[in-house]
Amino acid sequence: MRSSGIFLILLLCVSPASAQVRIEMPVFEGGAGLDFFIECARTYEKETPGMIVDLYGDPRIADKARVRILEGSYPEVTNAGLNYWALIRNGDILPVDEYLDQPSWEGDTTWRDSFLPGSLDRYTYQGKTYGIPLMYSVYAVWYNKTLFEQHGWQPATTWDEFFALCDQIKAAGIWPLAFQGRYPAYAQSLIDHGFYHLAGPERFYAQQQLVPGSFDNPEFIQALTLAQRTALNYFQPGSMGMSHTEAQLEFFLGHTAMIFCGSWLKSEMLGKIPEGFRLGSFNLPIAHAGKTDPSAIYAGAGYYFVMKHSRHPEAGVEFLRFMTSRRMAGRFCRMRDIAVAVAGVAEENLSEDLQDLAALVKNARTSYGMAPGEDFPEMGQYWSDARFQIVTGQATPEQVAASLEAGAEQVRNRAAAPDRITVRHVWKPALLLLLLGAAILYWTATTVTRYRNRIRATSLQITESKPRLSRFNRIVLLGPAVALYTVFVIVPSVKSFSWSLHEWDGLTEMRFIGLNNFVRMLFESDGFWIALGNNLFIMFVIPLFVLPLSLFLAVCISRELRGAQFFRIVFFFPNILGGVAATLLWMHLYNPQGGPINGALVGFGNLLATVGLTGIGGWFSSLEGFAWLSQTNLYRALIPMSIWGACGFNMVLFLAAMESIPSSLYEAAQLDGASAWRQFRDITLPLIWEVLSISLVFMVIGGMKAFEGIWLLTNQSPTTQVHVIGTRMLQAMFSEFQVGEATAIAVLLFAMVFFGTAVTLRAMRRETVEF
């Protein structure tokens, strides 16, 4: 037995003979799946008697792991998407240096030396190592080998060679590059690779630590220029409206010659790759005047952490040692065809398609990626905006560099003085608070008036003997419902308001800061006001289309036109689908390459051109490859989606109200010679007014709570210009780990929705209705 297994011997010796050590391991179920991890756990149990590995996975495992940590019942090992830096600073993650300096599972080297150079550096803090890597993500240029051989093209090394290659491919009538435009983060590798080789490792890592001047400088501007030239000249038309799978499928179908992606490309597209497709890869291009090793690769890894306060942390370490052994890492390579961070494994276990990548990893004398140590999550939004502006050409490299420099300064200042607030907005928050205060006063005044009227009406009524429930019976009937509502709604709401008064990352101790979160949101944040403006667009513009069309359809069906029952079902069908399913359907319809919407519009344009309407026909034809779901065009694309999704529900509401109107009213109107429009205006509309006001309230609530569509259509990474309040709240909570700020947004959203809908209902009420 090797020395690294001494812990297991001691643990089993001091425990009763029948005792078993249980290792709990919640795992993120992503592109790598769970099959390997389950197989690894079962193999470990067979080879290590007395050990039980309770391994389970979920795409949303982070939510479950976060609750476990907050309640203090830690699992042994996890890779869930948590704010590990907060846990490391708090002493909740076990440093693994002591174990890394012991022999590896095979025993022929130390565990530390069994990993690829640099792969352990990411999660180092005060000289200690906290994360153990397995999956190794290497970014490269992937190309169609068969296409390259047919045309005699050669992989490029420098940027000049790469641009010359792209020009050759374009001249052959093929678009050089597919791009996952709805994930602009795929452009980060181009920017980082360019800056790393132009400025050198020291300045590259200084930029990630937001050192002043690390963005607005000639080298970074040149890196941005290279990335923008690539995007504007060589990306396939419509790229900015494509998801990662759509763009990658375009590459594998031979519609483009190359694509930028990580080493998970083939694994992610298994089952969609045409038979006989030959995949090759080469390193990202470098500049001639580079200051670094040209063999350097842009890489990252998936890390696993051992919880220090779990029941058996050492047992968790031992399982990770087994999971990262050459045998199991090789098994992972073969199962998923993805590189690993264990040295000497990739080249022997990856398929033929990934041998070019394996050679890149083997020949790389160094690697780079995320800087060791804690980063700045708040900088993520600035980077999202910058990448999008670069690849779409909305801003020059100089403008983007200056914007990132300014953003870095703001993040640094907030980190240095978290309670300091810079006032950037005055009249907007003043107007919002004024409107909110007026709504509260109006609601309060009308509520008091209605209550007094009710008391007065009751006192004037003739007293009648009516059976009434006793107080005890009322308590028995209402008590359980009130108790449940209090526990699951009232208490969490009050708790949320309490959180909004604190600075908290969701895992460590809270710090009371009073109303600072609200003040910062209203008077300092640009993003909040942009998000609110987008909510108002959805709240006001969408109903202008939905409500009139819903009314028209309800009137048509109520008059029992031919096919009315069929159309009743057809128009209501979108409401049967869930919001996610409907969004996925529209993502397919809006596909820039081969999507039905673009195909129909282009076909219509060609038809117009054949009948001589070349002007308007040419305009429709120009929509070929149009990126409807690019974040630039997103809100225009939302209008038909919202009409399709909301008309049916509102139509049914209006139709139910119309069918309750006595037919004798319409018969009398006809006898008086009233036209159909006059009947609608003087009979239908007044009698369905209450339902119309309810429908409007639903639209208001839906506009303020908009989230699903924006979040899915931007692939969880919206730019500042397309955020709504819901997505901004989620980003603050789970990407920036600002729980206090996120709950402050939630509290303000609740106030706006509650009093906004209450005032709308009261203002639209045409007659007094007693409670």
Side-chain angles (χ1 to χ4, degrees):
M1 178 69 73
R2 60 189 180 284
S3 59
S4 60
I6 294 176
F7 160 73
L8 293 179
I9 297 175
L10 294 174
L11 183 62
L12 295 174
C13 286
V14 299
S15 302
S18 60
Q20 292 179 320
V21 176
R22 178 175 172 271
I23 304 170
E24 185 180 2
M25 186 173 176
V27 177
F28 170 68
E29 185 179 0
L34 289 178
D35 293 346
F36 163 77
F37 301 102
I38 294 173
E39 179 181 317
C40 182
R42 301 295 84 82
T43 305
Y44 184 71
E45 290 171 347
K46 290 179 183 178
E47 298 185 7
T48 314
M51 304 300 293
I52 298 295
V53 181
D54 181 12
L55 189 146
Y56 54 93
D58 191 318
R60 298 186 61 84
I61 197 66
D63 297 336
K64 300 177 182 178
R66 190 178 294 106
V67 171
R68 294 288 306 279
I69 291 170
L70 287 173
E71 68 183 12
S73 58
Y74 297 86
E76 273 68 25
V77 180
T78 187
N79 71 335
L82 304 172
N83 182 9
Y84 287 106
W85 287 112
L87 294 172
I88 289 170
R89 290 196 312 270
N90 206 44
D92 295 323
I93 304 293
L94 181 73
V96 292
D97 299 271
E98 174 188 349
Y99 309 96
L100 287 169
D101 294 329
Q102 295 176 8
S104 65
W105 187 263
E106 288 79 10
D108 54 355
T109 185
T110 64
W111 192 21
R112 185 187 300 275
D113 291 338
S114 70
F115 293 101
L116 291 171
S119 60
L120 287 168
D121 295 344
R122 173 71 183 97
Y123 284 95
T124 56
Y125 179 69
Q126 296 182 348
K128 297 181 180 180
T129 306
Y130 291 87
I132 298 296
L134 178 62
M135 189 177 87
Y136 198 56
S137 303
V138 180
Y139 289 83
V141 184
W142 300 84
Y143 67 96
N144 185 328
K145 274 192 172 181
T146 302
L147 206 58
F148 267 56
E149 291 174 359
Q150 289 174 352
H151 293 82
W153 301 326
Q154 295 297 322
T157 301
T158 67
W159 277 104
D160 290 339
E161 293 172 354
F162 182 72
F163 291 141
L165 171 63
C166 289
D167 288 332
Q168 293 175 21
I169 296 171
K170 202 171 179 180
I174 302 170
W175 279 100
L177 288 158
F179 182 67
Q180 309 88 334
R182 290 190 8 239
Y183 288 85
Y186 276 87
Q188 189 69 48
S189 61
L190 293 181
I191 299 170
D192 282 352
H193 196 76
F195 185 58
Y196 178 82
H197 284 281
L198 287 166
E202 184 177 345
R203 289 179 60 193
F204 172 78
Y205 288 122
Q207 185 186 78
Q208 297 189 21
Q209 297 304 317
L210 307 188
V211 173
S214 58
F215 290 96
D216 198 357
N217 58 73
E219 292 81 7
F220 186 63
I221 291 173
Q222 186 178 352
L224 294 175
T225 302
L226 293 169
Q228 189 170 75
R229 178 180 173 184
T230 304
L232 298 183
N233 293 289
Y234 305 118
F235 282 179
Q236 183 186 26
S239 289
M240 296 311 297
M242 292 188 193
S243 67
H244 62 298
T245 52
E246 290 168 345
Q248 289 159 196
L249 188 59
E250 287 292 300
F251 166 68
F252 281 113
L253 291 176
H255 299 164
T256 69
M258 299 179 291
I259 190 170
F260 297 116
C261 196
S263 50
W264 60 82
L265 174 64
K266 183 180 178 182
S267 174
E268 190 171 58
M269 298 301 289
L270 287 176
K272 301 181 179 70
I273 302 174
E275 188 175 351
F277 187 94
R278 295 170 58 223
L279 186 63
S281 60
F282 58 89
N283 203 359
L284 299 169
I286 62 173
H288 276 303
K291 299 181 180 179
T292 59
D293 187 338
S295 71
I297 55 176
Y298 185 70
Y303 290 88
Y304 296 80
F305 301 86
V306 179
M307 296 294 171
K308 184 176 181 179
H309 304 299
S310 60
R311 294 182 63 185
H312 305 296
E314 294 85 356
V317 172
E318 194 67 10
F319 177 68
L320 286 181
R321 193 195 307 272
F322 174 75
M323 191 175 75
T324 56
S325 65
R326 288 197 295 272
R327 173 164 65 105
M328 297 312 298
R331 178 62 177 154
F332 180 81
C333 282
R334 292 190 298 274
M335 289 179 68
R336 303 303 307 178
D337 219 3
I338 302 178
V340 292
V342 180
V345 171
E347 56 267 27
E348 298 176 1
N349 293 280
L350 293 176
S351 68
E352 179 65 26
D353 283 334
L354 273 80
Q355 285 306 306
D356 288 349
L357 185 82
L360 279 178
V361 174
K362 182 179 180 180
N363 297 329
R365 291 180 288 273
T366 186
S367 66
Y368 70 98
M370 292 295 294
E374 187 171 4
D375 56 4
F376 295 87
E378 299 94 333
M379 197 65 194
Q381 187 63 61
Y382 294 101
W383 267 114
S384 294
D385 297 343
R387 288 188 296 258
F388 185 78
Q389 291 169 348
I390 281 295
V391 296
T392 58
Q394 290 185 352
T396 65
E398 292 79 7
Q399 291 170 333
V400 171
S403 175
L404 284 170
E405 189 70 50
E409 182 180 6
Q410 291 182 27
V411 173
R412 285 196 310 269
N413 291 342
R414 182 170 180 180
D419 294 334
R420 187 174 63 189
I421 295 172
T422 302
V423 176
R424 295 195 181 90
H425 304 278
V426 176
W427 72 266
K428 288 180 181 178
L431 180 60
L432 177 62
L433 293 174
L434 179 64
L435 291 174
L436 193 58
I440 294 172
L441 290 175
Y442 177 78
W443 177 80
T444 304
T446 53
T447 299
V448 170
T449 300
R450 287 158 60 85
Y451 179 75
R452 288 176 176 172
N453 290 339
R454 179 185 174 188
I455 296 298
R456 188 179 300 113
T458 303
S459 64
L460 294 175
Q461 288 178 352
I462 300 174
T463 305
E464 298 179 3
S465 58
K466 296 181 180 179
R468 297 176 62 88
L469 291 173
S470 66
R471 177 171 297 182
F472 175 77
N473 288 336
R474 289 200 298 270
I475 293 174
V476 169
L477 291 174
L478 296 177
V482 172
L484 289 173
Y485 189 79
T486 301
V487 170
F488 292 105
V489 177
I490 302 299
V491 173
S493 298
V494 173
K495 197 76 172 178
S496 295
F497 181 76
S498 170
W499 289 353
S500 70
L501 304 177
H502 292 77
E503 182 184 53
W504 188 36
D505 59 18
L507 295 171
T508 55
E509 292 297 320
M510 293 183 179
R511 185 175 73 90
F512 182 78
I513 58 174
L515 295 174
N516 269 20
N517 285 320
F518 293 95
V519 175
R520 185 187 304 279
M521 176 174 57
L522 294 172
F523 293 91
E524 183 181 72
S525 173
D526 297 326
F528 171 78
W529 291 108
I530 294 173
L532 180 58
N534 290 331
N535 279 100
L536 294 177
F537 173 88
I538 297 173
M539 189 170 69
F540 289 116
V541 175
I542 301 299
L544 291 179
F545 293 92
V546 170
L547 294 181
L549 183 57
S550 300
L551 268 174
F552 174 75
L553 294 174
V555 169
C556 292
I557 293 177
S558 69
R559 292 183 176 273
E560 299 182 355
L561 299 179
R562 184 184 298 272
Q565 293 300 321
F566 170 75
F567 285 109
R568 185 197 299 246
I569 297 171
V570 169
F571 289 129
F572 190 72
F573 174 75
N575 296 276
I576 300 174
L577 296 176
V580 174
T583 302
L584 294 175
L585 174 62
W586 278 93
M587 286 166 58
H588 168 70
L589 296 176
Y590 276 132
N591 189 333
Q593 298 292 335
I597 290 178
N598 274 6
L601 292 173
V602 171
F604 182 63
N606 294 335
L607 179 62
L608 292 176
T610 60
V611 298
L613 299 175
T614 55
I616 189 171
W619 183 83
F620 278 103
S621 298
S622 68
L623 294 175
E624 184 173 6
F626 187 78
W628 289 101
L629 296 183
S630 168
Q631 297 196 33
T632 306
N633 308 312
L634 186 61
Y635 281 92
R636 282 181 283 177
L638 275 180
I639 293 175
M641 290 177 60
S642 301
I643 293 172
W644 178 81
C647 271
F649 175 75
N650 288 283
M651 179 199 71
V652 170
L653 282 182
F654 299 150
L655 189 59
M658 290 176 188
E659 290 179 344
S660 67
I661 300 174
S663 58
S664 58
L665 295 178
Y666 293 106
E667 293 170 358
Q670 287 176 346
L671 291 175
D672 290 339
S675 63
W677 164 249
R678 185 74 179 274
Q679 293 176 40
F680 173 77
R681 189 191 67 184
D682 294 340
I683 298 176
T684 306
L685 199 57
L687 293 178
I688 68 167
W689 187 260
E690 290 295 327
V691 174
L692 184 62
S693 63
I694 291 172
S695 177
L696 184 60
V697 165
F698 284 157
M699 298 295 292
V700 169
I701 294 174
M704 291 304 297
K705 293 176 62 179
F707 168 75
E708 266 181 0
I710 302 298
W711 193 244
L712 290 173
L713 293 174
T714 59
N715 289 289
Q716 301 88 52
S717 56
T719 61
T720 299
Q721 297 304 315
V722 300
H723 263 300
V724 289
I725 292 178
T727 58
R728 179 68 194 101
M729 178 174 63
L730 199 73
Q731 183 189 54
M733 175 77 78
F734 297 114
S735 297
E736 300 174 1
F737 309 111
Q738 300 286 346
V739 177
E741 181 178 328
T743 51
I745 295 173
V747 169
L748 188 58
L749 178 62
F750 167 79
M752 290 189 293
V753 171
F754 179 83
F755 291 107
T757 54
V759 168
T760 301
L761 280 173
R762 295 283 171 86
M764 292 190 68
R765 187 179 297 276
R766 287 194 166 187
E767 61 183 30
T768 303
V769 178
E770 295 183 1
F771 285 99

